[in-house]
Amino acid sequence: ADRSNWTQMRLDPAQPYRLNKQWRRFLSHHFFPHLLKLLNGSTELTPEWKYNLRKAAILAGQSQFARNLWEAFLYDMIALEVLLTHPGDKFPDAISERIVAFFGWVTKEDREPWETLVRRLYDLRCKFIHDGQTGDLTLRDLINADMVLANLLYNLCGLTRVIRSKQDILNLAN
């Protein structure tokens, strides 16, 4: 079992915070600058999709500043559902299908690792939501949820020629 503890403590020595080329290069590999362009109207998206991207990004930020592991995890899961689910979906299968559509290439189109990951994350979510149980949640689970969400946001904010609405995600996965 993962015995890691959640902490907001710095693990490396203090570094000066400079807004320079290094900072700009770091941001080029992050979804946030792309999101700002989308929200400021430089790209044609459906208003509902723009709102969903905004909500998911806010939830991702709240996850980063959460007070504990389960709270951060819950914010991530809500954000994933905001981005990937539609009324009437069968859970967690719908989430797995859509994640495989985006990231299946990472596992050479092997669906099983993604299905296993999503099933675990979704089971943990359900245990918390329906039974109030948080004991099985590990730091590795939170990191996995963070990574899926961050990569999903990065791709959704960068692939606006292909994905302009949630319906486009549904079409991509089918």
Side-chain angles (χ1 to χ4, degrees):
D2 186 350
R3 300 265 184 228
S4 302
N5 291 320
W6 175 255
T7 181
Q8 294 267 349
M9 186 177 75
R10 287 187 66 94
L11 299 177
D12 56 348
Q15 300 279 332
Y17 297 134
R18 295 192 178 110
L19 303 179
N20 56 18
K21 289 179 186 176
Q22 183 180 0
W23 171 77
R24 188 173 173 96
R25 191 173 28 252
F26 168 78
L27 281 182
S28 71
H29 300 290
H30 196 273
F31 73 85
F32 195 70
H34 301 290
L35 177 69
L36 290 178
K37 288 178 187 175
L38 298 178
L39 297 180
N40 290 326
S42 64
T43 304
E44 291 295 320
L45 302 173
T46 65
E48 179 186 10
W49 184 236
K50 192 181 283 192
Y51 182 68
N52 285 339
L53 286 169
R54 182 180 179 277
K55 282 192 302 187
I58 289 170
L59 289 162
Q62 288 174 314
S63 173
Q64 296 301 308
F65 290 103
R67 294 172 302 217
N68 53 53
L69 195 67
W70 62 261
E71 183 182 3
F73 177 77
L74 192 56
Y75 282 128
D76 283 349
M77 293 304 294
I78 294 168
L80 287 170
E81 289 187 33
V82 164
L83 295 171
L84 295 175
T85 64
H86 188 269
D89 280 343
K90 184 178 179 215
F91 293 98
D93 300 340
I95 296 171
S96 295
E97 288 173 13
R98 293 166 194 153
I99 288 182
V100 167
F102 279 97
F103 306 125
W105 63 272
V106 174
T107 57
K108 298 181 182 168
E109 302 305 326
D110 182 4
R111 304 174 61 84
E112 196 275 326
W114 294 110
E115 290 170 350
T116 300
L117 174 66
V118 170
R119 192 176 320 107
R120 170 149 176 89
L121 297 179
Y122 197 75
D123 287 348
L124 290 166
R125 170 223 178 265
C126 289
K127 283 180 183 178
F128 176 65
I129 296 295
H130 302 293
D131 297 328
Q133 295 179 16
T134 61
D136 292 340
L137 181 65
T138 66
L139 184 57
R140 172 59 50 200
D141 296 320
L142 176 60
I143 291 168
N144 285 334
D146 277 343
M147 290 303 296
V148 170
L149 178 58
N151 280 288
L152 187 62
L153 280 166
Y154 182 85
N155 283 285
L156 292 174
C157 291
L159 296 172
T160 55
R161 289 184 182 179
V162 179
I163 301 169
R164 296 174 182 253
S165 68
K166 190 178 285 192
Q167 185 60 50
D168 291 335
I169 291 176
L170 302 178
N171 295 343
L172 178 69
N174 292 332

